[in-house]
Amino acid sequence: MIITRNIKELHKVLFGKKKLKNTVGFVPTMGALHAGHLSLIKFASSENDITVVSIFVNPTQFNSKKDLKKYPRDEEKDLEKLKNINCDIVFIPEVEEMYPKDDNRIFDFQGLDNVMEGKYRNGHFNGVAQIVSTLFEIVNPDKAYFGKKDFQQVAIIKYLNENYLKDLNIEVVACDIIREEDGLAMSSRNMLLNKEQRSEASLISKTMFFYCNSYKKYSVAGLKSKIISEINSNTHLEVEYFDIVDNKTLQSVPDIIPEKTTACIAVYAGIIRLIDNFSFN
Ligand code: PAF
């Protein structure tokens, strides 16, 4: 496994591989790798000759300095995990490498970023687009892999790819959510939960799945209020938003059409913010 921290070196390695007509799969991450990331990497390596993983905690997508500071980082453990699976190249740049000067690009996502995560995390998706577009340009893979836990992020990255980065010819692949045994969606933030918060956090998916699976019994408003009040009845959990949205526009829907609709939730467990979603399909 090749570990590189600078763009020039990465280009040198990739140039050799691409000359041999190797296909490149790319998994961008912010590190603190868990089984969800590893499943993306394994899937990427099953579909490509070369797998590149980036580890970079991108400051421009955090709208709170405190959140950026407390984001979990463990390079040593991450590298250990990557060595044990089919990762060929790890790119671990410093902030100065990715942002030699301020990035003032503003992306227009036609309203996809005004709801849910975008509403509560001002500027978050513009920061995601800055780093993803820069990484796509640097790595220029055949395919890039993202987890469906970040449902809105996947929609926005697909939009970015199709509308801003079309010439790169990259296929964005969305992969299923990987869950802990008790149903909690895997996330780097889970390791920040204390014992009580971790135990209640499993009720997020359990409650959402329970009611969403019997959505026909409720109106959309009824379903929303049941899920929010039941999750909020736990000591450590507080719902920030729960919405049922159209898969394409991400706007709230009045009725559930299973193949076109997803339920999305963000919940605070103490000060740790967790997200999840349920596809009615
Ligand atoms: O999902 C993430 O971990 C990040 O948002 C990403 C896509 C790596 C960009 O920093």
Side-chain angles (χ1 to χ4, degrees):
M1 185 171 82
I2 297 168
I3 301 168
T4 170
R5 293 176 196 274
N6 77 68
I7 299 169
K8 256 194 196 147
E9 197 179 292
L10 177 69
H11 275 160
K12 235 191 244 167
V13 181
L14 280 173
F15 184 69
K17 307 277 184 206
K18 284 183 180 162
K19 236 168 68 183
L20 296 171
K21 298 220 179 319
N22 282 320
T23 57
V24 175
F26 176 45
V27 184
T29 81
M30 298 207 296
L33 302 179
H34 51 70
H37 294 115
L38 302 185
S39 90
L40 293 180
I41 298 164
K42 283 181 197 157
F43 190 53
S45 80
S46 75
E47 292 201 323
N48 299 277
D49 300 315
I50 300 296
T51 303
V52 181
V53 174
S54 64
I55 297 178
F56 179 66
V57 182
N58 172 38
T60 72
Q61 71 187 74
F62 287 82
N63 53 344
S64 138
K65 282 209 172 97
K66 231 164 131 191
D67 193 25
L68 171 61
K69 202 166 161 207
K70 73 170 190 272
Y71 198 84
R73 295 162 171 86
D74 196 337
E75 187 180 305
E76 208 177 306
K77 261 199 198 145
D78 286 347
L79 291 176
E80 209 43 56
K81 288 177 187 162
L82 291 175
K83 270 181 203 151
N84 292 324
I85 56 170
N86 285 337
C87 171
D88 301 290
I89 303 169
V90 197
F91 178 48
I92 319 181
E94 293 293 334
V95 173
E96 298 71 38
E97 187 71 2
M98 299 311 285
Y99 296 106
K101 54 183 184 352
D102 282 353
D103 188 341
N104 297 316
R105 287 175 296 167
I106 304 284
F107 296 85
D108 179 0
F109 299 115
Q110 299 287 313
L112 291 175
D113 56 335
N114 291 342
V115 292
M116 301 190 289
E117 292 301 288
K119 193 165 150 191
Y120 291 94
R121 302 181 70 191
N122 194 17
H124 168 67
F125 287 118
N126 200 66
V128 169
Q130 288 174 342
I131 194 63
V132 169
S133 57
T134 303
L135 286 166
F136 274 19
E137 274 156 12
I138 293 170
V139 179
N140 198 0
D142 295 276
K143 293 185 180 188
Y145 298 80
F146 298 87
K148 285 186 191 167
K149 179 179 73 73
D150 298 297
F151 172 78
Q152 190 173 10
Q153 172 170 278
V154 169
I156 285 174
I157 289 174
K158 282 190 171 167
Y159 184 90
L160 172 79
N161 192 43
E162 280 156 26
N163 292 278
Y164 286 93
L165 307 168
K166 211 173 173 50
D167 292 349
L168 295 176
N169 224 351
I170 299 168
E171 184 186 339
V172 170
V173 183
C175 301
D176 285 344
I177 300 176
I178 305 294
R179 296 183 178 279
E180 302 285 356
E181 257 174 43
D182 62 4
L184 176 64
M186 290 212 182
S187 162
S188 303
R189 292 177 193 268
N190 293 354
M191 65 178 75
L192 301 173
L193 300 169
N194 68 26
K195 219 169 142 204
E196 292 79 26
Q197 292 162 349
R198 172 64 191 82
S199 152
E200 285 194 359
S202 69
L203 299 170
I204 300 168
S205 61
K206 280 188 185 136
T207 309
M208 182 167 63
F209 279 41
F210 177 78
Y211 287 106
C212 286
N213 272 322
S214 44
Y215 73 91
K216 284 184 184 153
K217 288 194 206 155
Y218 303 93
S219 65
V220 165
L223 188 64
K224 283 184 188 174
S225 104
K226 266 261 172 239
I227 290 175
I228 294 172
S229 66
E230 191 150 324
I231 293 179
N232 283 347
S233 70
N234 298 291
T235 319
H236 302 284
L237 302 182
E238 179 151 14
V239 176
E240 184 167 55
Y241 68 78
F242 172 72
D243 210 351
I244 297 177
V245 301
D246 178 272
N247 290 342
K248 287 215 171 99
T249 64
L250 307 188
Q251 303 302 310
S252 300
V253 290
D255 301 298
I256 293 168
I257 304 168
E259 59 284 7
K260 293 187 178 169
T261 316
T262 300
C264 298
I265 194 162
V267 179
Y268 275 98
I271 56 163
I272 310 306
R273 192 172 180 281
L274 305 171
I275 60 171
D276 200 350
N277 62 74
F278 173 92
S279 164
F280 287 92
N281 203 11

